[in-house]
Amino acid sequence: MMKRNLLLVLVSFLIFHTVSAQKRKKPSKDQSDLLGTAEYFFDDGQFLRALPNFQKLSATDSTNAYYHYKMGICYLHKSDEKELAITELERAAKINPSLADITLYIGQAYHLNNKFDQAIEIFNKYIGENPSPQKKKIASHYIEYCQNGKIFVQKPMDIEITNLGSPVNSVGSEYAPVISSDESTLIFTYKGERSKGGLMDDQFVPDPDGDYYEDIFISQRVGKDWLTPESISDKINTAGNDASIAVSADGQTLFIFKSTTKDNGDIFISTLKGSEWSEPVRLGPNINSNNSWEGSCSITSDGQMLYFASDRKGGFGGRDIYVSKRLPNGEWSPAKNLGATINTEYDEDAPFIHPDGIDLFFSSRGHSSMGGYDIMYSTKRGESWSEPINLGYPLNTTEDERYYVLTASGEFGYFSSDRKGSLGEQDIYTVNPGFAGERPVLALVVGTVNAENKPADAKIKVTNMTTGEPQGDYSSNSASGKFLIALTPGNEYKIAIEVEGMQTHMEYVNVKNIETFVQINQDVKLYTAGSPQAAKQAIADSTNTLQSKIDQQIAKYRQEQKYDVYEANTYRKVVTARGEELHDSVFYNVELGKYECPEEFKGDKLNEIGKVQKLASTDLKTTIFYIGPYKTLLEAELSRRKALKADSSLRAGIVVTVSDHGVRKTLQQFYATDYKRPDYIIPTDTKILKCKTDENIVKSTGPAGSGIRDSIATNTPKSTGTATPGTLLTPADAQMKDMVKDHGNFEVEGLSYKLELGVV
């Protein structure tokens, strides 16, 4: 399970004996011992433990090309200092340019540091050196990585990547995260000081020069915080490697990877009974094949389909992704390869099927990878899969990215990486949004079952009323009563919740036309069948149905989809989350309005709030009135509210804008990453308040002294007394005055006059 760049390991293995045979200065006995230790760790793939030993050797002989060579290779695996790989490898090449495959390694170093053009040039040079066909293929593949990397780095995804930090991450390694669909439980693989048995050799004997073995840890979320992780269970964690690879949607079935000296690694399961996990059981031969590796998997929310990775014979490459269906007897059907759309001649690994059952995420060294494993996703269309899409940079990098899981809402993705900035060798990260495509559409029902006011182990049967077939069998946890059901759109369902001796609770749900993800909390109370409490609860249940809660959330979603509601909600979130941030050379102004006719602005009610200033727009056609500047958005927002309270007529044009290093921007432009809705178009300027005297409508025709202004927009053409096609009648001032003078008191029975204020 430990994440390595296998291409680098392969090349290291191929060239080791060649380099070892080259002439080197004869070392002293102490140096020989140190070199032996360094080579031991290097050959075992423990490059970060080999590195300090080679550094000590190089300190005693800085002209030794071999030491710089090995240090450079080690730095290829040290993400926080990978730029030193270029330094050490080029130094080694300068001393001894005949070092085996030194050009290939230098190309890899440039690739890892995102120097793609230089790397391509070096790889082409290496191919020109006429290496073996196998190594030539490796170099050609790296050129493809570089070409893909150039595209992705130039167009980074608008995402936010966050290290989960302490207490989840530590100086050890945390990786392969899996989460329950409601994001309340996080289970992951851990290697470090808390590993069972401590440092051990290959025979599980304590050894200070040994390694830590994998254990599984679990953390629960309270609010937005994760609790300190604990070892999941002594029944699961052993002295050997035990790694988490998947969890069922409800968090009650855990899939585990175990390897022994008798096999290459198989998939096991453990189930949660109350608060205790069961002894892991190996899945059957249709999943775990003889003499093959099966090391990652994911199960659909209904528990009927298992996607997994295997390097068994008959695939397209080293590792392929397969699927198996649960049979009526509970066993798994013979596995089926997902085919050439998903699998390539290179490795595919770490599948994750979203609870919606159609979005598949996986890692691949093929397709459009920019280096090592990249995270891809594909959507199921009937029986086929769409062409996989790379999730892009900076989620994917030139190193390995694997073990990606997505929350049911699609808001957050979880993954592990040893990228720069990690607390240890590997850390767990979140990414928001989880992916750039449309959010999953799903109804997630979360709740508890209590029988006679105590948590109950209930049987939950879901039937697809559209097809009449069982959708799946679920259960609530006997210790907490918690249950979780994922309902995919396009169907009607019947949900029956049963506890022996209790009155059955029934729900009928129609999610044929839901348009978004909804999560509904539905606690169920059961009482003895026929009791007064059961009758009373039945009445309460009839007025608090699951369907009504879904309908309410859908109505809320539709309301929030409106532009003005979305803008207002997002603005509130920005003020709450980032209102007190300070930015160099960034100030905030409260714009009271952008006027076409500046004489119409009245600011006499704002004297106590701040000095009102004005600014001519760049085109000199409008004038902006504003109060400011303010150092923070929160200060500006508070001032905006005071201004509105003082003069509510400002509501039509008052906004907060940003002066970013002297450049005026709308708030949406400055906080573009917060306005993420795909169909939302970020405004580039604020609203213009048109003159109250519209250019095509006469708005004052009263006689002198009436108090009504007598004017027409300045760009109105002189009228001939007839209507211009497509416009309202606009006579000239003189003609209007003559008509009022001559006929102003003229009355005719049945004839009346109206003052038109506008046409909408």
Side-chain angles (χ1 to χ4, degrees), residues 277-558:
W277 289 93
S278 67
E279 196 81 32
V281 176
R282 180 186 272 107
L283 292 181
N286 286 335
I287 303 297
N288 294 313
S289 56
N290 291 329
N291 302 318
S292 296
W293 172 93
E294 284 81 27
S296 58
C297 71
S298 180
I299 192 168
T300 53
S301 59
D302 60 6
Q304 299 304 301
M305 307 292 285
L306 184 71
Y307 294 84
F308 66 97
S310 174
D311 64 359
R312 64 188 62 190
K313 293 181 180 179
F316 290 84
R319 295 178 180 178
D320 279 4
I321 297 176
Y322 294 79
V323 64
S324 179
K325 184 176 182 179
R326 191 187 293 273
L327 300 172
N329 63 1
E331 298 296 326
W332 293 101
S333 68
K336 179 182 178 182
N337 190 296
L338 285 195
T341 302
I342 299 296
N343 295 312
T344 68
E345 63 176 307
Y346 302 101
D347 289 329
E348 278 70 43
D349 193 10
F352 170 75
I353 187 71
H354 188 269
D356 66 5
I358 61 172
D359 288 312
L360 177 69
F361 297 80
F362 63 98
S363 295
S364 174
R365 285 197 171 109
H367 295 296
S368 56
S369 171
M370 62 183 287
Y373 281 111
D374 273 13
I375 300 165
M376 316 279 174
Y377 83 92
S378 174
T379 301
K380 192 175 184 181
R381 310 291 188 190
E383 295 301 316
S384 61
W385 293 92
S386 65
E387 191 68 29
I389 296 175
N390 190 306
L391 287 189
Y393 177 85
L395 174 58
N396 288 320
T397 68
T398 53
E399 300 187 74
D400 286 341
E401 276 75 37
R402 284 192 290 176
Y403 315 122
Y404 186 80
V405 294
L406 186 69
T407 59
S409 67
E411 183 176 4
F412 288 98
Y414 286 71
F415 71 102
S416 56
S417 176
D418 56 359
R419 62 185 59 203
K420 195 169 185 176
S422 297
L423 300 182
E425 291 185 20
Q426 291 192 63
D427 279 358
I428 296 172
Y429 292 80
T430 62
V431 55
N432 180 26
F435 74 117
E438 293 184 6
R439 292 280 180 88
V441 178
L442 185 72
L444 191 69
V445 184
V446 181
T448 58
V449 179
N450 285 277
E452 296 291 353
N453 301 316
K454 293 181 180 179
D457 180 8
K459 303 299 181 184
I460 305 174
K461 296 182 179 180
V462 180
T463 304
N464 187 328
M465 298 297 289
T466 305
T467 63
E469 297 181 353
Q471 175 72 13
D473 292 333
Y474 305 83
S475 63
S476 59
N477 183 274
S478 60
S480 64
K482 182 178 177 180
F483 72 93
L484 186 151
I485 305 170
L487 303 176
T488 53
N491 300 294
E492 295 182 45
Y493 297 95
K494 180 179 75 173
I495 302 173
I497 301 177
E498 303 173 343
V499 173
E500 187 175 354
M502 301 289 122
Q503 179 170 294
T504 300
H505 177 86
M506 303 286 289
E507 294 272 8
Y508 291 88
V509 181
N510 184 344
V511 290
K512 280 188 173 182
N513 300 313
I514 63 171
E515 307 160 44
T516 184
F517 169 82
V518 293
Q519 179 170 325
I520 310 97
N521 295 320
Q522 182 79 338
D523 294 333
V524 177
K525 296 179 180 179
L526 302 179
Y527 295 94
T528 303
S531 67
Q533 294 96 325
K536 186 183 295 184
Q537 187 61 44
I539 296 173
D541 290 342
S542 66
T543 60
N544 190 30
T545 65
L546 187 57
Q547 185 67 56
S548 66
K549 292 181 179 181
I550 292 175
D551 293 342
Q552 288 171 13
Q553 288 204 31
I554 294 298
K556 180 181 177 182
Y557 167 77
R558 289 172 178 168

Side-chain angles (χ1 to χ4, degrees), residues 571 574-590 627-641 655-659 667 670-671:
Y571 180 67
V574 171
V575 173
T576 301
R578 308 177 69 176
E580 297 182 88
E581 291 179 352
L582 293 171
H583 303 276
D584 291 337
S585 301
V586 173
F587 301 96
Y588 301 84
N589 293 310
V590 178
I627 299 175
Y630 299 94
K631 291 183 179 180
T632 67
L633 172 59
L634 182 58
E635 289 176 324
E637 169 58 13
L638 293 175
S639 180
R640 186 189 73 88
R641 294 185 185 187
V655 292
V656 175
T657 58
V658 184
S659 174
L667 194 91
F670 187 72
Y671 292 105

